[in-house]
Amino acid sequence: MQTEKTQKSSVGTKPNLSFWQIWNMSFGFFGIQYGFGLQQANMSPIFRYLNADEANIPILWLAGPVTGLIVQPIIGSISDRTWSPRWGRRKPFFLIGAIVTSLALFLMPNSSALWMAASLMWILDTGLNITQEPFRAFIGDKLNDKQRGLGFAMQSFFVGFGQTLANLMPTIFRLLGITSAAAVATGVIPNSIKYPFYIGGAAVILAVIWTIYTTDEYPPDDMAEFERMKHEGSGISGAFNEIFAALKEMPVTMRQLWWVKFFTWFALPLMWQFLTLAVARHAFNAPTAQSPGFQEGTEWGNLCFAMFNVGCFSISFFLPAIANVVGRRATHALFLTIGGFGFLSMLLSNDKYVFLIGMTLVGFAWGSILSMPYVLLSSSVPAERMGVYMGIFNGFIVVPQIINNLTIQFIYPYLNNDPRNALALAGVCLLLAAGSCFLVKETRRSEEAAFPVNPGGN
Protein backbone atom coordinates (compact mmCIF):
# COMPACT_ATOMS: atom_id res chain seq x y z
CA MET A 1 0.00 0.00 0.00
CA GLN A 2 1.29 3.48 -0.83
CA THR A 3 0.76 6.39 1.49
CA GLU A 4 1.44 9.37 -0.76
CA LYS A 5 -0.47 9.29 -4.04
CA THR A 6 0.10 11.58 -7.00
CA GLN A 7 -2.38 12.29 -9.75
CA LYS A 8 -1.95 10.36 -12.95
CA SER A 9 0.21 12.05 -15.56
CA SER A 10 -1.65 13.07 -18.67
CA VAL A 11 -0.09 12.66 -22.10
CA GLY A 12 2.84 15.07 -22.46
CA THR A 13 2.45 16.65 -19.03
CA LYS A 14 3.48 15.91 -15.47
CA PRO A 15 2.02 17.68 -12.44
CA ASN A 16 4.15 19.63 -9.99
CA LEU A 17 5.01 17.56 -6.93
CA SER A 18 5.34 18.88 -3.40
CA PHE A 19 8.72 19.19 -1.70
CA TRP A 20 8.00 16.15 0.48
CA GLN A 21 6.89 14.05 -2.48
CA ILE A 22 10.25 14.78 -4.13
CA TRP A 23 11.98 14.08 -0.80
CA ASN A 24 10.25 10.70 -0.49
CA MET A 25 10.99 9.64 -4.06
CA SER A 26 14.67 10.52 -3.50
CA PHE A 27 15.05 9.12 0.02
CA GLY A 28 16.12 5.69 -1.18
CA PHE A 29 19.14 7.41 -2.74
CA PHE A 30 20.28 8.20 0.82
CA GLY A 31 20.69 4.50 1.61
CA ILE A 32 22.51 3.85 -1.67
CA GLN A 33 24.95 6.70 -1.00
CA TYR A 34 25.53 5.51 2.58
CA GLY A 35 26.65 2.24 1.01
CA PHE A 36 28.89 4.05 -1.48
CA GLY A 37 30.43 6.10 1.34
CA LEU A 38 31.30 2.97 3.32
CA GLN A 39 32.86 1.40 0.26
CA GLN A 40 34.90 4.40 -0.83
CA ALA A 41 36.50 5.10 2.55
CA ASN A 42 36.93 1.58 3.93
CA MET A 43 37.57 -0.97 1.18
CA SER A 44 41.29 -0.24 0.82
CA PRO A 45 41.84 -0.59 4.60
CA ILE A 46 39.81 -3.83 4.56
CA PHE A 47 41.99 -5.17 1.75
CA ARG A 48 45.09 -4.19 3.74
CA TYR A 49 43.74 -5.87 6.89
CA LEU A 50 43.45 -9.00 4.74
CA ASN A 51 47.07 -8.67 3.62
CA ALA A 52 46.59 -7.22 0.12
CA ASP A 53 49.72 -5.80 -1.44
CA GLU A 54 49.39 -2.01 -1.67
CA ALA A 55 50.37 -1.87 -5.34
CA ASN A 56 47.65 -4.40 -6.23
CA ILE A 57 44.80 -2.57 -4.49
CA PRO A 58 43.66 -0.70 -7.65
CA ILE A 59 42.98 -3.97 -9.48
CA LEU A 60 40.74 -5.00 -6.57
CA TRP A 61 38.69 -1.86 -7.23
CA LEU A 62 37.97 -2.97 -10.79
CA ALA A 63 34.56 -4.24 -9.70
CA GLY A 64 33.01 -0.78 -9.53
CA PRO A 65 33.64 0.54 -13.03
CA VAL A 66 33.18 -2.82 -14.76
CA THR A 67 29.81 -3.46 -13.14
CA GLY A 68 28.81 0.14 -13.83
CA LEU A 69 29.74 -0.14 -17.49
CA ILE A 70 27.80 -3.38 -17.94
CA VAL A 71 24.97 -3.20 -15.44
CA GLN A 72 23.74 0.39 -15.73
CA PRO A 73 22.99 0.49 -19.50
CA ILE A 74 21.39 -2.98 -19.40
CA ILE A 75 19.26 -2.20 -16.35
CA GLY A 76 18.39 1.18 -17.87
CA SER A 77 17.20 -0.39 -21.11
CA ILE A 78 15.30 -3.21 -19.39
CA SER A 79 13.64 -0.85 -16.91
CA ASP A 80 12.58 1.40 -19.81
CA ARG A 81 10.59 -1.61 -21.06
CA THR A 82 9.18 -2.68 -17.71
CA TRP A 83 5.73 -1.83 -16.44
CA SER A 84 3.53 -3.42 -13.80
CA PRO A 85 0.36 -1.78 -12.46
CA ARG A 86 1.37 -3.02 -9.00
CA TRP A 87 5.16 -2.57 -8.98
CA GLY A 88 5.73 0.17 -11.56
CA ARG A 89 8.75 0.61 -13.83
CA ARG A 90 11.84 1.46 -11.75
CA LYS A 91 10.79 0.25 -8.29
CA PRO A 92 11.36 -3.48 -8.93
CA PHE A 93 15.00 -2.67 -9.70
CA PHE A 94 15.27 -0.47 -6.61
CA LEU A 95 14.25 -3.44 -4.49
CA ILE A 96 16.38 -6.09 -6.22
CA GLY A 97 19.48 -3.91 -6.07
CA ALA A 98 18.85 -2.98 -2.43
CA ILE A 99 18.57 -6.62 -1.37
CA VAL A 100 21.84 -7.53 -3.14
CA THR A 101 23.60 -4.47 -1.69
CA SER A 102 22.39 -5.14 1.85
CA LEU A 103 23.56 -8.75 1.80
CA ALA A 104 27.00 -7.71 0.56
CA LEU A 105 27.30 -5.00 3.24
CA PHE A 106 26.39 -7.45 6.00
CA LEU A 107 28.90 -10.02 4.79
CA MET A 108 31.81 -7.75 3.79
CA PRO A 109 33.29 -6.98 7.24
CA ASN A 110 33.18 -10.70 8.09
CA SER A 111 35.50 -11.57 5.20
CA SER A 112 38.07 -14.08 6.37
CA ALA A 113 40.29 -13.88 3.29
CA LEU A 114 41.17 -11.42 0.55
CA TRP A 115 39.40 -13.44 -2.14
CA MET A 116 36.17 -13.29 -0.13
CA ALA A 117 36.31 -9.50 0.26
CA ALA A 118 37.19 -9.07 -3.41
CA SER A 119 34.26 -11.29 -4.47
CA LEU A 120 31.86 -9.42 -2.22
CA MET A 121 33.10 -6.18 -3.74
CA TRP A 122 31.77 -7.36 -7.12
CA ILE A 123 28.43 -8.31 -5.57
CA LEU A 124 28.23 -5.01 -3.69
CA ASP A 125 28.93 -2.92 -6.79
CA THR A 126 26.45 -4.94 -8.84
CA GLY A 127 23.73 -4.25 -6.29
CA LEU A 128 24.58 -0.55 -6.05
CA ASN A 129 24.52 -0.15 -9.82
CA ILE A 130 21.24 -2.05 -10.23
CA THR A 131 19.64 0.40 -7.82
CA GLN A 132 21.40 3.66 -8.69
CA GLU A 133 20.70 3.90 -12.42
CA PRO A 134 16.89 3.58 -12.08
CA PHE A 135 16.98 6.28 -9.36
CA ARG A 136 18.52 8.71 -11.86
CA ALA A 137 15.97 7.78 -14.52
CA PHE A 138 13.23 8.12 -11.87
CA ILE A 139 13.72 11.91 -11.89
CA GLY A 140 12.96 12.07 -15.60
CA ASP A 141 9.98 9.77 -15.20
CA LYS A 142 8.33 11.63 -12.34
CA LEU A 143 9.22 15.31 -12.68
CA ASN A 144 8.44 17.89 -15.32
CA ASP A 145 11.18 20.10 -16.80
CA LYS A 146 10.58 22.81 -14.22
CA GLN A 147 11.16 20.50 -11.25
CA ARG A 148 13.96 18.27 -12.55
CA GLY A 149 16.61 20.65 -11.25
CA LEU A 150 15.12 20.32 -7.76
CA GLY A 151 14.93 16.56 -8.15
CA PHE A 152 18.60 16.19 -9.07
CA ALA A 153 19.54 18.70 -6.35
CA MET A 154 17.67 16.54 -3.83
CA GLN A 155 19.60 13.49 -4.99
CA SER A 156 22.82 15.48 -4.70
CA PHE A 157 21.90 16.42 -1.13
CA PHE A 158 21.46 12.76 -0.28
CA VAL A 159 24.82 12.01 -1.94
CA GLY A 160 26.51 14.38 0.49
CA PHE A 161 24.43 13.50 3.54
CA GLY A 162 24.58 9.72 3.12
CA GLN A 163 28.28 9.59 2.38
CA THR A 164 29.20 12.05 5.14
CA LEU A 165 27.27 10.02 7.71
CA ALA A 166 28.98 6.85 6.52
CA ASN A 167 32.38 8.53 6.78
CA LEU A 168 31.73 9.67 10.35
CA MET A 169 30.51 6.31 11.66
CA PRO A 170 33.93 4.75 12.52
CA THR A 171 34.82 7.82 14.61
CA ILE A 172 31.39 7.80 16.27
CA PHE A 173 31.81 4.15 17.25
CA ARG A 174 35.30 4.78 18.59
CA LEU A 175 33.99 7.66 20.70
CA LEU A 176 31.32 5.29 22.01
CA GLY A 177 34.07 2.86 22.99
CA ILE A 178 33.21 0.34 20.28
CA THR A 179 36.55 -0.67 18.84
CA SER A 180 38.80 -3.69 18.63
CA ALA A 181 42.13 -3.98 20.38
CA ALA A 182 42.90 -6.96 18.17
CA ALA A 183 42.51 -4.93 15.00
CA VAL A 184 46.24 -4.90 14.36
CA ALA A 185 46.32 -8.68 14.13
CA THR A 186 46.57 -10.24 10.71
CA GLY A 187 43.21 -10.77 9.02
CA VAL A 188 41.14 -9.01 11.71
CA ILE A 189 38.75 -6.21 10.72
CA PRO A 190 37.98 -3.87 13.66
CA ASN A 191 34.47 -3.42 15.05
CA SER A 192 34.62 0.31 14.23
CA ILE A 193 34.46 -0.77 10.58
CA LYS A 194 32.21 -3.81 11.03
CA TYR A 195 29.31 -2.07 12.74
CA PRO A 196 28.93 0.77 10.19
CA PHE A 197 28.65 -1.90 7.49
CA TYR A 198 25.88 -3.64 9.45
CA ILE A 199 24.05 -0.32 9.81
CA GLY A 200 24.59 0.31 6.11
CA GLY A 201 23.01 -3.02 5.22
CA ALA A 202 19.88 -2.01 7.14
CA ALA A 203 19.92 1.60 5.89
CA VAL A 204 19.96 0.64 2.22
CA ILE A 205 16.98 -1.69 2.36
CA LEU A 206 14.91 0.53 4.70
CA ALA A 207 15.52 3.70 2.71
CA VAL A 208 14.60 2.03 -0.58
CA ILE A 209 11.47 0.47 0.93
CA TRP A 210 10.44 3.95 2.12
CA THR A 211 10.62 5.28 -1.44
CA ILE A 212 8.78 2.25 -2.81
CA TYR A 213 6.05 2.57 -0.17
CA THR A 214 5.48 6.32 -0.49
CA THR A 215 5.84 6.91 -4.23
CA ASP A 216 3.72 5.96 -7.22
CA GLU A 217 4.98 5.66 -10.77
CA TYR A 218 3.19 6.91 -13.85
CA PRO A 219 2.17 4.36 -16.50
CA PRO A 220 3.44 4.89 -20.06
CA ASP A 221 1.51 7.65 -21.82
CA ASP A 222 1.05 5.55 -24.95
CA MET A 223 0.57 1.97 -23.80
CA ALA A 224 0.26 0.60 -27.34
CA GLU A 225 3.57 2.17 -28.39
CA PHE A 226 5.15 0.99 -25.14
CA GLU A 227 4.04 -2.60 -25.79
CA ARG A 228 5.42 -2.42 -29.33
CA MET A 229 8.83 -1.19 -28.14
CA LYS A 230 8.80 -3.70 -25.32
CA HIS A 231 8.24 -6.54 -27.77
CA GLU A 232 10.88 -5.31 -30.23
CA GLY A 233 13.54 -4.73 -27.59
CA SER A 234 12.84 -7.48 -25.10
CA GLY A 235 15.64 -9.40 -23.42
CA ILE A 236 19.34 -8.80 -23.04
CA SER A 237 19.96 -8.90 -26.81
CA GLY A 238 17.36 -6.19 -27.31
CA ALA A 239 19.03 -4.11 -24.62
CA PHE A 240 22.41 -4.38 -26.34
CA ASN A 241 20.88 -3.50 -29.72
CA GLU A 242 19.36 -0.36 -28.25
CA ILE A 243 22.62 0.59 -26.53
CA PHE A 244 24.57 0.34 -29.79
CA ALA A 245 21.89 2.30 -31.65
CA ALA A 246 21.99 5.07 -29.06
CA LEU A 247 25.80 5.22 -29.21
CA LYS A 248 25.60 6.06 -32.92
CA GLU A 249 23.47 9.09 -32.04
CA MET A 250 25.84 10.47 -29.42
CA PRO A 251 25.66 14.30 -29.30
CA VAL A 252 28.77 16.22 -30.38
CA THR A 253 29.10 17.85 -26.96
CA MET A 254 29.39 14.48 -25.28
CA ARG A 255 32.28 13.58 -27.60
CA GLN A 256 34.01 16.85 -26.85
CA LEU A 257 33.73 16.14 -23.14
CA TRP A 258 35.69 12.90 -23.37
CA TRP A 259 39.07 14.26 -22.25
CA VAL A 260 37.53 16.24 -19.41
CA LYS A 261 35.87 13.08 -18.20
CA PHE A 262 38.89 10.89 -18.85
CA PHE A 263 41.35 12.88 -16.75
CA THR A 264 38.75 13.52 -14.02
CA TRP A 265 37.78 9.89 -13.64
CA PHE A 266 41.32 8.58 -13.96
CA ALA A 267 42.14 10.81 -10.97
CA LEU A 268 39.24 10.13 -8.62
CA PRO A 269 39.82 6.36 -8.13
CA LEU A 270 43.32 7.21 -6.85
CA MET A 271 41.63 9.11 -4.03
CA TRP A 272 39.40 6.19 -3.03
CA GLN A 273 42.24 3.69 -3.38
CA PHE A 274 45.01 5.58 -1.59
CA LEU A 275 43.76 8.51 0.53
CA THR A 276 43.23 6.56 3.74
CA LEU A 277 46.47 4.63 3.26
CA ALA A 278 48.38 7.89 2.69
CA VAL A 279 46.91 9.43 5.85
CA ALA A 280 47.82 6.36 7.90
CA ARG A 281 51.38 6.21 6.54
CA HIS A 282 52.33 9.88 6.70
CA ALA A 283 50.19 11.38 9.46
CA PHE A 284 50.13 8.38 11.83
CA ASN A 285 53.39 6.60 10.92
CA ALA A 286 51.42 3.44 10.07
CA PRO A 287 52.61 2.04 6.73
CA THR A 288 50.99 -1.38 7.24
CA ALA A 289 47.72 -2.68 8.64
CA GLN A 290 49.65 -4.16 11.55
CA SER A 291 51.13 -0.79 12.55
CA PRO A 292 49.73 0.55 15.86
CA GLY A 293 48.39 3.76 14.30
CA PHE A 294 46.67 2.19 11.29
CA GLN A 295 43.18 2.09 12.80
CA GLU A 296 43.45 5.70 13.96
CA GLY A 297 44.70 6.67 10.51
CA THR A 298 41.75 4.89 8.92
CA GLU A 299 39.35 6.85 11.12
CA TRP A 300 41.06 10.14 10.22
CA GLY A 301 40.83 9.15 6.56
CA ASN A 302 37.08 8.77 7.04
CA LEU A 303 36.99 12.27 8.54
CA CYS A 304 38.84 13.55 5.47
CA PHE A 305 36.17 11.97 3.26
CA ALA A 306 33.51 13.57 5.43
CA MET A 307 35.07 17.01 4.87
CA PHE A 308 35.29 16.15 1.16
CA ASN A 309 31.51 15.69 1.10
CA VAL A 310 30.89 18.77 3.25
CA GLY A 311 32.96 20.81 0.81
CA CYS A 312 30.93 19.33 -2.03
CA PHE A 313 27.45 20.27 -0.92
CA SER A 314 28.62 23.57 0.60
CA ILE A 315 30.04 24.89 -2.66
CA SER A 316 27.04 23.63 -4.62
CA PHE A 317 24.98 26.54 -3.26
CA PHE A 318 27.41 29.05 -4.82
CA LEU A 319 28.04 27.40 -8.19
CA PRO A 320 25.08 29.05 -9.99
CA ALA A 321 26.19 32.57 -8.96
CA ILE A 322 29.82 31.90 -9.92
CA ALA A 323 28.77 30.44 -13.26
CA ASN A 324 26.64 33.51 -14.01
CA VAL A 325 29.76 35.68 -13.60
CA VAL A 326 32.51 33.67 -15.33
CA GLY A 327 30.56 31.14 -17.38
CA ARG A 328 29.84 27.49 -16.77
CA ARG A 329 32.83 26.05 -18.62
CA ALA A 330 35.25 28.37 -16.83
CA THR A 331 33.56 27.57 -13.51
CA HIS A 332 34.14 23.86 -14.00
CA ALA A 333 37.76 24.45 -15.04
CA LEU A 334 38.28 26.66 -11.97
CA PHE A 335 37.04 24.09 -9.49
CA LEU A 336 38.91 21.22 -11.14
CA THR A 337 42.02 23.37 -10.69
CA ILE A 338 41.20 23.94 -7.03
CA GLY A 339 40.79 20.17 -6.57
CA GLY A 340 44.09 19.52 -8.33
CA PHE A 341 45.93 21.86 -5.97
CA GLY A 342 44.07 20.26 -3.07
CA PHE A 343 45.66 16.91 -3.91
CA LEU A 344 49.09 18.45 -4.51
CA SER A 345 48.95 20.32 -1.17
CA MET A 346 49.09 16.98 0.66
CA LEU A 347 52.78 16.77 -0.29
CA LEU A 348 53.56 19.83 1.82
CA SER A 349 53.41 18.30 5.30
CA ASN A 350 52.76 15.14 7.32
CA ASP A 351 50.33 17.01 9.56
CA LYS A 352 46.96 15.30 9.58
CA TYR A 353 45.15 18.63 9.15
CA VAL A 354 46.88 19.18 5.80
CA PHE A 355 45.04 16.11 4.52
CA LEU A 356 41.79 17.44 5.98
CA ILE A 357 42.19 20.83 4.28
CA GLY A 358 43.32 19.27 1.01
CA MET A 359 40.30 17.00 0.88
CA THR A 360 37.99 19.95 1.54
CA LEU A 361 39.43 21.61 -1.58
CA VAL A 362 38.94 18.39 -3.53
CA GLY A 363 35.35 18.41 -2.26
CA PHE A 364 34.85 21.79 -3.95
CA ALA A 365 35.92 20.14 -7.20
CA TRP A 366 33.57 17.23 -6.52
CA GLY A 367 30.69 19.70 -6.21
CA SER A 368 31.43 20.87 -9.74
CA ILE A 369 31.96 17.31 -11.01
CA LEU A 370 28.49 16.46 -9.76
CA SER A 371 27.19 19.21 -12.08
CA MET A 372 27.63 17.03 -15.15
CA PRO A 373 24.80 17.19 -17.67
CA TYR A 374 22.16 14.97 -16.11
CA VAL A 375 19.58 17.75 -16.05
CA LEU A 376 20.00 18.65 -19.72
CA LEU A 377 20.29 14.98 -20.65
CA SER A 378 17.02 14.15 -18.91
CA SER A 379 15.30 17.04 -20.70
CA SER A 380 16.65 16.28 -24.18
CA VAL A 381 16.19 12.54 -24.67
CA PRO A 382 12.91 10.71 -25.29
CA ALA A 383 11.23 9.76 -22.06
CA GLU A 384 10.86 6.17 -23.20
CA ARG A 385 14.67 5.90 -23.53
CA MET A 386 15.60 7.76 -20.34
CA GLY A 387 17.15 4.76 -18.63
CA VAL A 388 19.40 3.63 -21.47
CA TYR A 389 20.77 7.15 -22.05
CA MET A 390 21.53 7.58 -18.36
CA GLY A 391 23.33 4.25 -18.43
CA ILE A 392 25.34 5.05 -21.57
CA PHE A 393 26.41 8.38 -20.15
CA ASN A 394 27.82 6.50 -17.19
CA GLY A 395 30.31 4.91 -19.61
CA PHE A 396 32.19 8.21 -19.78
CA ILE A 397 32.80 7.76 -16.06
CA VAL A 398 33.62 4.08 -15.81
CA VAL A 399 35.92 3.58 -18.80
CA PRO A 400 38.64 5.87 -17.35
CA GLN A 401 38.27 4.07 -14.02
CA ILE A 402 38.83 0.70 -15.71
CA ILE A 403 41.96 2.06 -17.39
CA ASN A 404 43.11 3.32 -13.98
CA ASN A 405 42.51 -0.02 -12.27
CA LEU A 406 44.41 -1.92 -14.95
CA THR A 407 47.44 0.39 -15.16
CA ILE A 408 48.18 1.80 -11.71
CA GLN A 409 49.86 -1.38 -10.51
CA PHE A 410 52.51 -0.79 -13.20
CA ILE A 411 52.77 2.95 -12.51
CA TYR A 412 52.93 2.60 -8.72
CA PRO A 413 56.65 1.64 -8.53
CA TYR A 414 57.46 4.90 -10.38
CA LEU A 415 55.54 6.69 -7.62
CA ASN A 416 58.05 5.27 -5.13
CA ASN A 417 55.35 2.87 -3.88
CA ASP A 418 53.95 5.78 -1.87
CA PRO A 419 50.16 6.31 -1.68
CA ARG A 420 50.66 10.06 -1.21
CA ASN A 421 52.44 10.26 -4.55
CA ALA A 422 49.40 8.55 -6.09
CA LEU A 423 47.31 11.44 -4.74
CA ALA A 424 49.76 13.89 -6.35
CA LEU A 425 49.18 12.09 -9.66
CA ALA A 426 45.46 12.61 -9.12
CA GLY A 427 46.13 16.32 -8.69
CA VAL A 428 48.02 16.51 -11.98
CA CYS A 429 45.16 14.69 -13.74
CA LEU A 430 42.59 17.17 -12.41
CA LEU A 431 44.71 20.03 -13.75
CA LEU A 432 44.77 18.32 -17.16
CA ALA A 433 40.97 17.90 -16.93
CA ALA A 434 40.67 21.64 -16.23
CA GLY A 435 42.67 22.44 -19.35
CA SER A 436 40.58 19.99 -21.39
CA CYS A 437 37.45 21.98 -20.58
CA PHE A 438 38.51 24.45 -23.26
CA LEU A 439 38.39 21.76 -25.93
CA VAL A 440 34.60 21.96 -25.74
CA LYS A 441 33.21 24.29 -28.42
CA GLU A 442 32.37 27.71 -27.07
CA THR A 443 28.71 27.89 -28.01
CA ARG A 444 25.93 28.63 -25.60
CA ARG A 445 24.23 25.33 -26.39
CA SER A 446 27.34 23.21 -25.92
CA GLU A 447 28.28 25.05 -22.73
CA GLU A 448 24.88 24.41 -21.23
CA ALA A 449 25.09 20.77 -22.28
CA ALA A 450 28.54 20.33 -20.82
CA PHE A 451 28.26 22.08 -17.50
CA PRO A 452 24.76 22.64 -16.09
CA VAL A 453 24.98 23.91 -12.53
CA ASN A 454 22.29 21.64 -11.16
CA PRO A 455 23.87 18.67 -9.29
CA GLY A 456 23.22 15.37 -10.98
CA GLY A 457 24.19 12.52 -8.67
CA ASN A 458 27.29 10.46 -7.95
Side-chain angles (χ1 to χ4, degrees):
M1 179 179 179
Q2 299 184 341
T3 61
E4 191 169 306
K5 300 292 182 181
T6 59
Q7 69 185 76
K8 182 178 179 179
S9 170
S10 61
V11 175
T13 66
K14 295 184 177 73
N16 285 333
L17 302 186
S18 71
F19 174 86
W20 290 112
Q21 286 175 316
I22 298 174
W23 172 282
N24 286 336
M25 65 178 281
S26 303
F27 189 74
F29 211 62
F30 161 74
I32 300 304
Q33 295 305 318
Y34 187 102
F36 269 116
L38 289 173
Q39 178 198 65
Q40 291 166 1
N42 294 290
M43 284 312 304
S44 286
I46 286 175
F47 291 147
R48 289 290 276 159
Y49 279 124
L50 298 173
N51 298 314
D53 182 76
E54 198 167 77
N56 292 328
I57 281 179
I59 200 71
L60 297 172
W61 280 83
L62 192 61
V66 169
T67 55
L69 181 65
I70 297 173
V71 171
Q72 288 205 26
I74 292 175
I75 293 298
S77 179
I78 294 175
S79 66
D80 283 343
R81 287 163 170 72
T82 298
W83 173 252
S84 163
R86 179 175 181 182
W87 296 104
R89 171 178 289 179
R90 314 293 180 184
K91 291 194 291 185
F93 300 94
F94 296 168
L95 185 59
I96 293 169
I99 292 171
V100 173
T101 299
S102 294
L103 290 174
L105 288 172
F106 281 124
L107 293 172
M108 181 68 75
N110 295 300
S111 299
S112 57
L114 183 60
W115 68 265
M116 181 177 178
S119 299
L120 286 169
M121 180 81 153
W122 283 86
I123 297 172
L124 174 60
D125 273 301
T126 298
L128 288 169
N129 279 293
I130 289 173
T131 306
Q132 177 165 272
E133 194 286 329
F135 261 107
R136 286 174 173 161
F138 204 36
I139 298 296
D141 293 343
K142 288 285 293 179
L143 301 180
N144 56 39
D145 288 347
K146 181 180 178 181
Q147 289 195 309
R148 282 176 183 170
L150 175 60
F152 283 120
M154 188 75 76
Q155 286 195 352
S156 186
F157 167 78
F158 282 123
V159 169
F161 181 59
Q163 294 190 11
T164 300
L165 183 60
N167 298 150
L168 292 175
M169 290 306 292
T171 299
I172 292 172
F173 277 112
R174 180 177 58 80
L175 294 174
L176 294 174
I178 301 174
T179 185
S180 175
V184 297
T186 299
V188 176
I189 299 172
N191 290 336
S192 58
I193 290 180
K194 282 186 176 182
Y195 293 155
F197 271 75
Y198 297 155
I199 292 175
V204 168
I205 194 71
L206 291 176
V208 167
I209 287 176
W210 179 264
T211 288
I212 291 174
Y213 183 75
T214 60
T215 307
D216 282 339
E217 292 193 72
Y218 300 136
D221 287 334
D222 188 338
M223 187 61 72
E225 176 67 11
F226 172 79
E227 290 294 339
R228 183 189 66 80
M229 291 184 63
K230 178 180 178 181
H231 177 73
E232 291 179 356
S234 61
I236 298 296
S237 62
F240 277 113
N241 288 336
E242 183 179 10
I243 291 167
F244 291 134
L247 283 170
K248 294 179 181 179
E249 303 168 8
M250 184 184 299
V252 172
T253 300
M254 289 179 67
R255 295 192 181 116
Q256 293 171 342
L257 275 168
W258 165 250
W259 289 111
V260 180
K261 293 277 218 167
F262 174 80
F263 288 120
T264 299
W265 287 97
F266 188 92
L268 290 174
L270 295 169
M271 173 183 67
W272 294 312
Q273 295 157 5
F274 291 111
L275 184 277
T276 301
L277 303 181
V279 172
R281 174 180 293 198
H282 291 283
F284 293 89
N285 194 30
T288 71
Q290 289 72 47
S291 302
F294 189 80
Q295 184 177 343
E296 189 177 0
T298 298
E299 292 171 6
W300 192 263
N302 272 271
L303 284 176
C304 290
F305 275 110
M307 286 306 300
F308 163 81
N309 284 300
V310 169
C312 167
F313 60 72
S314 296
I315 201 63
S316 295
F317 293 107
F318 301 98
L319 285 174
I322 297 171
N324 286 337
V325 175
V326 303
R328 294 174 176 179
R329 183 180 63 176
T331 297
H332 193 57
L334 170 64
F335 282 99
L336 287 173
T337 301
I338 291 171
F341 283 120
F343 278 127
L344 292 171
S345 71
M346 299 175 195
L347 295 173
L348 299 176
S349 172
N350 289 338
D351 190 282
K352 62 184 181 181
Y353 290 100
V354 168
F355 289 94
L356 204 66
I357 294 170
M359 283 299 288
T360 303
L361 296 177
V362 177
F364 293 161
W366 183 235
S368 185
I369 292 166
L370 287 184
S371 300
M372 291 298 180
Y374 292 111
V375 173
L376 181 71
L377 188 67
S378 69
S379 300
S380 63
V381 302
E384 67 273 9
R385 302 181 75 185
M386 187 72 67
V388 69
Y389 269 98
M390 288 292 185
I392 289 173
F393 193 69
N394 189 60
F396 277 71
I397 295 173
V398 300
V399 170
Q401 293 183 69
I402 293 172
I403 296 172
N404 170 294
N405 296 151
L406 293 175
T407 59
I408 289 300
Q409 60 180 319
F410 304 109
I411 299 173
Y412 200 61
Y414 296 100
L415 301 175
N416 200 29
N417 294 308
D418 188 333
R420 186 165 63 174
N421 290 340
L423 299 178
L425 175 60
V428 172
C429 288
L430 285 190
L431 295 179
L432 291 172
S436 299
C437 289
F438 299 98
L439 296 176
V440 181
K441 289 182 65 175
E442 295 187 49
T443 66
R444 181 64 180 171
R445 182 176 180 183
S446 67
E447 186 174 271
E448 290 178 353
F451 309 115
V453 296
N454 298 292
N458 185 11

